[in-house]
Amino acid sequence: METIFTKIRDGVIPSVKLHEDELCFVILDINPVNKGHLLVITNECHPTLADCPEATLAHLMGVVQRADAKLREALGCDATNIVINNGEESGQEVKHLHIHVIPRYKGDQKHFRLAKEHYEEGEMERLGRRLEF
Ligand code: 5GP
């Protein structure tokens, strides 16, 4: 399947590429939350996490770790957000698995907090039993 990221991978659409290997490539996000916001993208188009082989996912996390270290070293950021929008309803715009690595700074006001719910008495335990795997 062709996506905007396969076009970037193939050089049809220009990008600032930071890394590439046999399973993934890394580019700067064109609309960064903070400058240096990057995307770790699978070479093959796996639309969501469920479609991606486990070995590829394991590799991606190693690349994310190196990207996180590079952002801290080069930009002096205090922290990072590591984000996967996994499916359209979660906010995923490009249906080609990618991991956002976003540099964060003390006081930068770029909050990622989602609105939260509360459990009724006993509900969390009952749900936990349904979700064991
Ligand atoms: P999603 O919402 O799917 O998790 O994130 C897709 C990301 O891809 C967005 O943050 C968006 O800014 C980025 N993006 C979309 N098109 C392009 C592009 O052509 N070039 C680059 N570098 N980033 C893009």
Side-chain angles (χ1 to χ4, degrees):
M1 194 169 82
E2 191 173 73
T3 67
I4 197 153
F5 290 158
T6 60
K7 290 182 187 163
I8 288 175
R9 176 198 66 198
D10 296 341
V12 177
I13 293 175
S15 69
V16 176
K17 212 172 260 181
L18 309 178
H19 169 86
E20 53 191 328
D21 62 43
E22 69 284 4
L23 292 175
C24 71
F25 62 102
V26 181
I27 61 170
L28 287 179
D29 192 304
I30 202 165
N31 289 127
V33 173
N34 278 323
K35 290 174 185 173
H37 174 172
L38 57 85
L39 303 171
V40 178
I41 305 169
T42 54
N43 286 341
E44 297 302 314
C45 176
H46 310 292
T48 67
L49 196 77
D51 308 305
C52 186
E54 195 171 331
T56 302
L57 286 175
H59 176 81
L60 292 182
M61 286 314 294
V63 173
V64 165
Q65 187 181 44
R66 288 164 59 194
D68 168 76
K70 188 68 190 183
L71 290 174
R72 288 169 192 268
E73 173 212 315
L75 303 181
C77 62
D78 300 307
T80 57
N81 285 103
I82 313 294
V83 177
I84 300 177
N85 294 321
N86 189 35
E88 194 173 339
E89 296 75 8
S90 72
Q92 184 181 8
E93 289 174 4
V94 181
K95 292 169 185 52
H96 179 153
L97 181 65
H98 54 283
I99 305 177
H100 297 254
V101 184
I102 304 169
R104 297 295 308 276
Y105 300 90
K106 187 171 185 202
D108 70 8
Q109 300 292 318
K110 305 285 173 71
H111 297 305
F112 272 86
R113 295 199 180 84
L114 300 172
K116 293 190 178 172
E117 297 199 20
H118 294 284
Y119 288 111
E120 302 300 328
E121 179 73 27
E123 188 182 3
M124 189 162 75
E125 291 72 17
R126 286 194 298 279
L127 183 61
R129 284 194 289 277
R130 281 178 54 203
L131 296 179
E132 281 172 10
F133 60 94

